[in-house]
Amino acid sequence: MLQGVTIVDPHSTFIEKGIKIGQDTIIYPFTIIEKGTKIGSNCFIGPNTHLIDTEVGAGVRIWASILESSVVKDGVKIGPYAHLRPGTIVEKGAKIGNFVELKKTILGEGSKAAHLTYLGDATVGKKANIGAGTITCNYDGEKKHQTIIEEGVFIGSNNSLVAPVKLGKDSYTGAGSTITQDVPAGNLAIARSRQTNIPGWRKKKKESKS
């Protein structure tokens, strides 16, 4: 604190010996920072955050999240309620939002996974957008497989990306798709059945019960 770090409430904050924290960083209550962690300057950490053996760059905002053995570059925003598992690298200016889990994944510079997403064993390029409800199906019951999402890719909401699979630069996927094959650069992939509306279905259902 004497060297320019603000700890809002030292009595509810737990920092192990040997931790390095840059100047003008603010540590909010109910935050735990364990050995091996380094935090840059001008960061906002917490409240309710747990950092374990994690490297955090400058100007990072982490709110109500858990980070384990990960690297977070400058200007990243994380949380609330995100979980970064070992082997994760979040590049400069990326955003990880509510209820997002990353495992052994590289999230590219300026890319976004804003909510309700699981990315495991994945490499995501720059300025990609990962829609809500997206998961990488990386485990087949025996082995883990890679998902590659290149620069500028837009993943629609509620997508399942069945690894191994590659989505080329600037490609798109439609909402509700299950992607099982590579998507060439600049293509739109839609993998869902067509909607069918059955006229009078509700009335017939009621009549069958009477």
Side-chain angles (χ1 to χ4, degrees), residues 98-126:
N98 306 345
F99 303 104
V100 174
E101 179 182 358
L102 275 66
K103 190 275 293 187
K104 205 174 181 181
T105 285
I106 300 172
L107 187 67
E109 182 176 335
S111 290
K112 299 177 182 179
H115 27 233
L116 303 169
T117 292
Y118 170 69
L119 300 175
D121 299 289
T123 299
V124 181
K126 296 180 180 180

Short mmCIF file of all heavy atoms in Angstrom, two decimals, residues 98-126:
data_model
loop_
_atom_site.label_atom_id
_atom_site.label_comp_id
_atom_site.label_asym_id
_atom_site.label_seq_id
_atom_site.Cartn_x
_atom_site.Cartn_y
_atom_site.Cartn_z
N ASN A 98 -19.92 -12.88 -18.45
CA ASN A 98 -20.63 -13.67 -17.44
C ASN A 98 -20.65 -15.16 -17.77
O ASN A 98 -20.98 -15.56 -18.89
CB ASN A 98 -22.09 -13.22 -17.33
CG ASN A 98 -22.23 -11.73 -17.08
OD1 ASN A 98 -21.27 -11.07 -16.72
ND2 ASN A 98 -23.41 -11.22 -17.28
N PHE A 99 -20.28 -15.98 -16.80
CA PHE A 99 -20.41 -17.43 -16.90
C PHE A 99 -19.70 -17.99 -18.15
O PHE A 99 -20.26 -18.78 -18.90
CB PHE A 99 -21.89 -17.84 -16.87
CG PHE A 99 -22.61 -17.36 -15.65
CD1 PHE A 99 -23.47 -16.28 -15.72
CD2 PHE A 99 -22.39 -17.95 -14.42
CE1 PHE A 99 -24.12 -15.82 -14.59
CE2 PHE A 99 -23.02 -17.49 -13.28
CZ PHE A 99 -23.89 -16.42 -13.36
N VAL A 100 -18.47 -17.57 -18.33
CA VAL A 100 -17.62 -18.07 -19.41
C VAL A 100 -16.47 -18.86 -18.79
O VAL A 100 -15.84 -18.41 -17.84
CB VAL A 100 -17.07 -16.92 -20.27
CG1 VAL A 100 -16.08 -17.44 -21.30
CG2 VAL A 100 -18.22 -16.19 -20.97
N GLU A 101 -16.22 -20.04 -19.34
CA GLU A 101 -15.12 -20.89 -18.87
C GLU A 101 -14.16 -21.16 -20.02
O GLU A 101 -14.58 -21.53 -21.12
CB GLU A 101 -15.67 -22.22 -18.33
CG GLU A 101 -14.59 -23.17 -17.84
CD GLU A 101 -15.15 -24.50 -17.34
OE1 GLU A 101 -16.40 -24.66 -17.35
OE2 GLU A 101 -14.36 -25.37 -16.98
N LEU A 102 -12.87 -20.96 -19.75
CA LEU A 102 -11.83 -21.25 -20.73
C LEU A 102 -10.84 -22.24 -20.13
O LEU A 102 -10.45 -22.10 -18.97
CB LEU A 102 -11.09 -19.98 -21.14
CG LEU A 102 -11.69 -19.11 -22.25
CD1 LEU A 102 -13.00 -18.50 -21.81
CD2 LEU A 102 -10.72 -18.00 -22.65
N LYS A 103 -10.44 -23.22 -20.94
CA LYS A 103 -9.45 -24.20 -20.49
C LYS A 103 -8.45 -24.43 -21.62
O LYS A 103 -8.83 -24.79 -22.72
CB LYS A 103 -10.15 -25.52 -20.11
CG LYS A 103 -9.25 -26.53 -19.40
CD LYS A 103 -8.45 -27.43 -20.33
CE LYS A 103 -9.32 -28.36 -21.13
NZ LYS A 103 -8.47 -29.34 -21.92
N LYS A 104 -7.17 -24.19 -21.32
CA LYS A 104 -6.12 -24.44 -22.31
C LYS A 104 -6.48 -23.82 -23.65
O LYS A 104 -6.43 -24.47 -24.71
CB LYS A 104 -5.88 -25.95 -22.45
CG LYS A 104 -4.50 -26.34 -22.95
CD LYS A 104 -4.31 -27.84 -22.91
CE LYS A 104 -2.91 -28.21 -23.40
NZ LYS A 104 -2.71 -29.69 -23.39
N THR A 105 -6.85 -22.55 -23.58
CA THR A 105 -7.36 -21.83 -24.74
C THR A 105 -6.64 -20.50 -24.91
O THR A 105 -6.32 -19.84 -23.93
CB THR A 105 -8.88 -21.61 -24.59
OG1 THR A 105 -9.56 -22.84 -24.83
CG2 THR A 105 -9.41 -20.57 -25.56
N ILE A 106 -6.40 -20.11 -26.15
CA ILE A 106 -5.88 -18.78 -26.46
C ILE A 106 -7.03 -17.97 -27.05
O ILE A 106 -7.61 -18.35 -28.07
CB ILE A 106 -4.72 -18.86 -27.47
CG1 ILE A 106 -3.57 -19.68 -26.90
CG2 ILE A 106 -4.25 -17.46 -27.84
CD1 ILE A 106 -2.46 -19.96 -27.91
N LEU A 107 -7.36 -16.86 -26.38
CA LEU A 107 -8.39 -15.95 -26.89
C LEU A 107 -7.68 -14.73 -27.47
O LEU A 107 -6.99 -14.00 -26.77
CB LEU A 107 -9.34 -15.53 -25.78
CG LEU A 107 -10.56 -14.71 -26.21
CD1 LEU A 107 -11.49 -15.55 -27.08
CD2 LEU A 107 -11.33 -14.16 -25.01
N GLY A 108 -7.85 -14.51 -28.77
CA GLY A 108 -7.06 -13.53 -29.50
C GLY A 108 -7.33 -12.09 -29.12
O GLY A 108 -8.35 -11.75 -28.48
N GLU A 109 -6.43 -11.23 -29.56
CA GLU A 109 -6.51 -9.80 -29.27
C GLU A 109 -7.84 -9.21 -29.75
O GLU A 109 -8.22 -9.38 -30.91
CB GLU A 109 -5.34 -9.08 -29.95
CG GLU A 109 -5.27 -7.60 -29.68
CD GLU A 109 -4.04 -6.95 -30.28
OE1 GLU A 109 -3.03 -7.67 -30.50
OE2 GLU A 109 -4.09 -5.74 -30.56
N GLY A 110 -8.53 -8.53 -28.84
CA GLY A 110 -9.78 -7.88 -29.17
C GLY A 110 -10.96 -8.80 -29.36
O GLY A 110 -12.06 -8.34 -29.72
N SER A 111 -10.81 -10.08 -29.10
CA SER A 111 -11.92 -11.03 -29.26
C SER A 111 -12.84 -10.98 -28.04
O SER A 111 -12.44 -10.55 -26.95
CB SER A 111 -11.39 -12.44 -29.48
OG SER A 111 -10.80 -12.55 -30.75
N LYS A 112 -14.07 -11.47 -28.24
CA LYS A 112 -15.07 -11.41 -27.18
C LYS A 112 -15.78 -12.75 -27.00
O LYS A 112 -16.21 -13.36 -27.97
CB LYS A 112 -16.12 -10.34 -27.50
CG LYS A 112 -15.57 -8.93 -27.63
CD LYS A 112 -16.66 -7.96 -28.01
CE LYS A 112 -16.12 -6.55 -28.19
NZ LYS A 112 -17.18 -5.60 -28.60
N ALA A 113 -15.88 -13.16 -25.75
CA ALA A 113 -16.76 -14.26 -25.36
C ALA A 113 -17.58 -13.70 -24.20
O ALA A 113 -17.16 -13.76 -23.04
CB ALA A 113 -15.97 -15.49 -24.95
N ALA A 114 -18.70 -13.10 -24.52
CA ALA A 114 -19.37 -12.22 -23.56
C ALA A 114 -20.19 -12.96 -22.51
O ALA A 114 -20.37 -12.44 -21.40
CB ALA A 114 -20.26 -11.22 -24.29
N HIS A 115 -20.70 -14.17 -22.83
CA HIS A 115 -21.54 -14.84 -21.83
C HIS A 115 -21.85 -16.29 -22.19
O HIS A 115 -21.94 -16.66 -23.35
CB HIS A 115 -22.88 -14.10 -21.62
CG HIS A 115 -23.35 -13.30 -22.79
ND1 HIS A 115 -23.70 -11.98 -22.71
CD2 HIS A 115 -23.49 -13.63 -24.10
CE1 HIS A 115 -24.06 -11.54 -23.89
NE2 HIS A 115 -23.94 -12.51 -24.74
N LEU A 116 -21.98 -17.10 -21.13
CA LEU A 116 -22.51 -18.47 -21.23
C LEU A 116 -21.78 -19.32 -22.26
O LEU A 116 -22.38 -19.92 -23.16
CB LEU A 116 -24.01 -18.41 -21.58
CG LEU A 116 -24.89 -17.62 -20.61
CD1 LEU A 116 -26.27 -17.40 -21.19
CD2 LEU A 116 -24.98 -18.32 -19.26
N THR A 117 -20.47 -19.40 -22.12
CA THR A 117 -19.65 -20.07 -23.13
C THR A 117 -18.59 -20.96 -22.50
O THR A 117 -18.06 -20.63 -21.44
CB THR A 117 -18.97 -18.99 -24.02
OG1 THR A 117 -19.97 -18.32 -24.78
CG2 THR A 117 -17.94 -19.58 -24.96
N TYR A 118 -18.30 -22.09 -23.16
CA TYR A 118 -17.17 -22.93 -22.77
C TYR A 118 -16.24 -23.10 -23.97
O TYR A 118 -16.65 -23.59 -25.03
CB TYR A 118 -17.61 -24.32 -22.29
CG TYR A 118 -16.44 -25.26 -22.13
CD1 TYR A 118 -15.50 -25.06 -21.12
CD2 TYR A 118 -16.24 -26.32 -23.01
CE1 TYR A 118 -14.39 -25.89 -21.00
CE2 TYR A 118 -15.15 -27.17 -22.88
CZ TYR A 118 -14.23 -26.94 -21.87
OH TYR A 118 -13.14 -27.75 -21.74
N LEU A 119 -14.98 -22.69 -23.79
CA LEU A 119 -13.96 -22.88 -24.82
C LEU A 119 -12.84 -23.71 -24.21
O LEU A 119 -12.12 -23.25 -23.32
CB LEU A 119 -13.41 -21.53 -25.29
CG LEU A 119 -14.43 -20.57 -25.92
CD1 LEU A 119 -13.76 -19.23 -26.22
CD2 LEU A 119 -15.03 -21.17 -27.19
N GLY A 120 -12.69 -24.95 -24.69
CA GLY A 120 -11.65 -25.83 -24.20
C GLY A 120 -10.77 -26.31 -25.34
O GLY A 120 -11.28 -26.67 -26.42
N ASP A 121 -9.45 -26.29 -25.14
CA ASP A 121 -8.50 -26.73 -26.17
C ASP A 121 -8.74 -26.00 -27.49
O ASP A 121 -8.80 -26.61 -28.55
CB ASP A 121 -8.59 -28.25 -26.37
CG ASP A 121 -8.26 -29.01 -25.10
OD1 ASP A 121 -7.09 -29.02 -24.71
OD2 ASP A 121 -9.19 -29.54 -24.47
N ALA A 122 -8.88 -24.68 -27.39
CA ALA A 122 -9.22 -23.87 -28.56
C ALA A 122 -8.19 -22.77 -28.78
O ALA A 122 -7.56 -22.29 -27.83
CB ALA A 122 -10.60 -23.26 -28.41
N THR A 123 -8.07 -22.37 -30.04
CA THR A 123 -7.27 -21.19 -30.41
C THR A 123 -8.19 -20.24 -31.17
O THR A 123 -8.75 -20.61 -32.20
CB THR A 123 -6.08 -21.58 -31.30
OG1 THR A 123 -5.23 -22.48 -30.59
CG2 THR A 123 -5.28 -20.35 -31.68
N VAL A 124 -8.34 -19.05 -30.63
CA VAL A 124 -9.24 -18.05 -31.22
C VAL A 124 -8.40 -16.88 -31.70
O VAL A 124 -7.62 -16.30 -30.93
CB VAL A 124 -10.28 -17.57 -30.20
CG1 VAL A 124 -11.23 -16.55 -30.83
CG2 VAL A 124 -11.07 -18.76 -29.63
N GLY A 125 -8.56 -16.48 -32.95
CA GLY A 125 -7.80 -15.39 -33.52
C GLY A 125 -8.28 -14.02 -33.07
O GLY A 125 -9.13 -13.89 -32.19
N LYS A 126 -7.75 -12.98 -33.71
CA LYS A 126 -8.08 -11.61 -33.35
C LYS A 126 -9.52 -11.26 -33.73
O LYS A 126 -10.04 -11.73 -34.74
CB LYS A 126 -7.13 -10.63 -34.04
CG LYS A 126 -5.68 -10.74 -33.64
CD LYS A 126 -4.85 -9.72 -34.40
CE LYS A 126 -3.38 -9.80 -34.01
NZ LYS A 126 -2.57 -8.80 -34.76
#
